[in-house]
Amino acid sequence: MTARFDAIGLVVTDLAASLAFYRRLGVDIPADADTQPHVEATLPGGLRLMWDPIETVRSFDPDWTPATGGSGRIGLAFACDSPADVDKTYAELVRSGARGYKEPWDAFWGHRYATLLDPDGNGVDLFAPLPG
């Protein structure tokens, strides 16, 4: 048997806030998921993104504690259609209450790039290739 990468799991402090953030990024999450003990969304390509409130994790691991000492330890990246879409998406998310971390910039590696923080402090990058 060969193990295969299948999912990314996030342990969240406020499930509804986290799901609202990722919905604004286009992740298809059912509206009734906000009160569930575990939520999954299958992304294009088949990878799953999963959310578990702290209470759910502690139901099977009572000694679990969140990481401390700074920002989140996972980073997710979302491809945008164009450099202008990076700017637009970043502005819309910040306007709707998301925490901006690094405003859009032209990165030396050839992408328009920006970073937001999800409700648990995880970095969420937006990017698109710069023209030629």
Side-chain angles (χ1 to χ4, degrees):
M1 178 184 139
T2 302
R4 61 178 166 52
F5 185 58
D6 183 71
I8 297 169
L10 301 173
V11 179
V12 299
T13 303
D14 182 336
L15 181 63
S18 187
L19 297 179
F21 175 85
Y22 286 97
R23 282 184 185 111
R24 288 191 303 266
L25 281 167
V27 179
D28 186 19
I29 304 166
D32 65 348
D34 292 25
T35 59
Q36 299 300 312
H38 173 83
V39 178
E40 295 184 14
T42 301
L43 306 174
L47 183 66
R48 292 177 302 140
L49 189 54
M50 306 182 305
W51 296 263
D52 288 300
I54 291 172
E55 299 78 29
T56 296
V57 174
R58 286 193 176 141
S59 74
F60 60 85
D61 184 359
D63 297 324
W64 183 89
T65 56
T68 59
S71 61
R73 295 181 180 244
I74 189 170
L76 303 175
F78 285 75
C80 295
D81 292 332
S82 68
D85 196 37
V86 171
D87 295 7
K88 178 183 173 205
T89 303
Y90 181 90
E92 287 175 358
L93 284 163
V94 169
R95 200 170 28 256
S96 69
R99 291 180 289 165
Y101 182 72
K102 288 190 65 81
E103 292 185 5
W105 82 96
D106 291 343
F108 67 86
W109 56 86
H111 285 97
R112 184 73 173 162
Y113 224 86
T115 303
L116 301 141
L117 299 177
D118 78 2
D120 290 284
N122 297 304
V124 177
D125 297 339
L126 306 172
F127 71 94
L130 291 167

